[in-house]
Amino acid sequence: MISISNLKKQFGETIACDIPSLAINDGDILGLVGNNGAGKTTLFRIMLDLLKPDNGQLTINGINPAESEDWKLTTGAYLDDGFLIDYLTPDEYFAFLGKISGISQQEMLSRLTYFEKFAGGEVFGQKKLIRNLSAGNKQKVGIISAMVSHPQVVILDEPFNFLDPSSQNHLKSLITDYHAETGATILISSHNLQHTIDISTRITLLESGRILKDLPNDSGSCKEELTNYFDEK
């Protein structure tokens, strides 16, 4: 479980995060939605200890990321291409991830086959450095890197960005299949409301760092309410 209590972050006069309480349950696919400046990325950066909150506490399976790195053993994340080592090819990068994660080369190659449809023949076996890949293929490398270690918590910021329509659909299948097979807790922020509704079991709407709605999403049940909210903005 991810637990948040009295979490606050402010940049000057701008409130980026003000969440009195939030519990993200094991096995949730939580979609974070909101317009620009809602605080989605700020929340993820606090979760990953990339940003210090001004107040409050966040724990992942009882571990405060600011106090211990043990949460990294069960968490995979991709926020942007700053997470990548861009002077490596994708194959070199995945081999490196295997080494630091204690995954053998043979096992890593086996795990990567799970992502072949999503990769679409444009990532594995390529000689290009990551820095020379298209934005969409960088996105694929990052998403695969977040999931290949079989984490129990997956955090993806705007994962549908830069992907063509086919790849977006493959990603939706990848996320839902991975969730069904592992029971992982998956957190996604996205401006693509329809894709988020399609895959999420629960959706949290943020505005100016605050939670406006926290909705169960059974078979797209929150679509009308969220559509009305964004139509009025």
Side-chain angles (χ1 to χ4, degrees):
M1 174 185 285
I2 298 173
S3 178
I4 293 172
S5 176
N6 297 316
L7 195 68
K8 294 185 179 181
K9 182 65 182 179
Q10 196 162 332
F11 299 101
E13 299 299 316
T14 301
I15 297 172
C17 183
D18 185 2
I19 301 177
S21 178
L22 180 66
I24 302 168
N25 302 313
D26 291 343
D28 278 350
I29 303 180
L30 178 69
L32 287 179
V33 298
N35 288 322
N36 289 337
K40 305 183 295 296
T41 300
T42 296
L43 179 57
F44 280 172
R45 288 191 172 277
I46 293 173
M47 285 184 183
L48 299 173
D49 195 31
L50 300 172
L51 193 62
K52 302 294 184 185
D54 298 326
N55 191 49
Q57 182 169 292
L58 182 150
T59 60
I60 300 176
N61 294 325
I63 300 169
N64 185 337
E67 297 176 354
S68 169
E69 295 193 351
D70 289 349
W71 61 277
K72 293 182 178 179
L73 299 174
T74 57
T75 303
Y78 181 68
L79 303 191
D80 55 48
D81 61 12
F83 277 49
L84 305 176
I85 303 176
D86 68 359
Y87 57 81
L88 300 178
T89 67
D91 291 345
E92 290 170 340
Y93 181 56
F94 294 129
F96 169 76
L97 293 179
K99 286 181 180 179
I100 64 174
S101 302
I103 302 170
S104 70
Q105 182 178 7
Q106 183 176 359
E107 174 64 17
M108 177 58 77
L109 291 173
S110 175
R111 292 188 184 196
L112 290 174
T113 62
Y114 185 82
F115 302 94
E116 282 183 340
K117 189 172 184 179
F118 174 57
E122 299 178 315
V123 172
F124 305 138
Q126 304 300 305
K127 301 302 181 183
K128 284 185 178 180
L129 302 180
I130 291 173
R131 66 168 63 130
N132 296 326
L133 296 177
S134 68
N137 286 332
K138 287 180 184 177
Q139 190 82 339
K140 291 179 180 181
V141 172
I143 291 167
I144 294 168
S145 71
M147 301 176 69
V148 73
S149 64
H150 297 171
Q152 277 300 300
V153 177
V154 179
I155 299 173
L156 301 173
D157 192 20
E158 298 290 351
F160 299 103
N161 277 3
F162 312 119
L163 299 180
D164 59 39
S166 294
S167 297
Q168 290 180 20
N169 287 331
H170 291 325
L171 177 57
K172 288 198 294 183
S173 296
L174 177 65
I175 290 170
T176 54
D177 289 349
Y178 182 81
H179 177 262
E181 293 166 13
T182 66
T185 304
I186 302 175
L187 284 69
I188 294 168
S189 77
S190 180
H191 285 122
N192 191 312
L193 185 60
Q194 187 58 58
H195 285 341
T196 306
I197 290 171
D198 286 346
I199 63 175
S200 300
T201 62
R202 173 181 172 190
I203 294 183
T204 298
L205 172 63
L206 295 177
E207 182 178 291
S208 300
R210 299 182 175 94
I211 296 175
L212 292 189
K213 301 176 185 290
D214 188 17
L215 305 169
N217 185 45
D218 302 318
S219 301
S221 59
C222 66
K223 180 177 180 179
E224 182 176 357
E225 187 169 353
L226 292 172
T227 300
N228 289 339
Y229 167 82
F230 286 109
D231 283 347
E232 293 170 1
K233 287 295 174 180

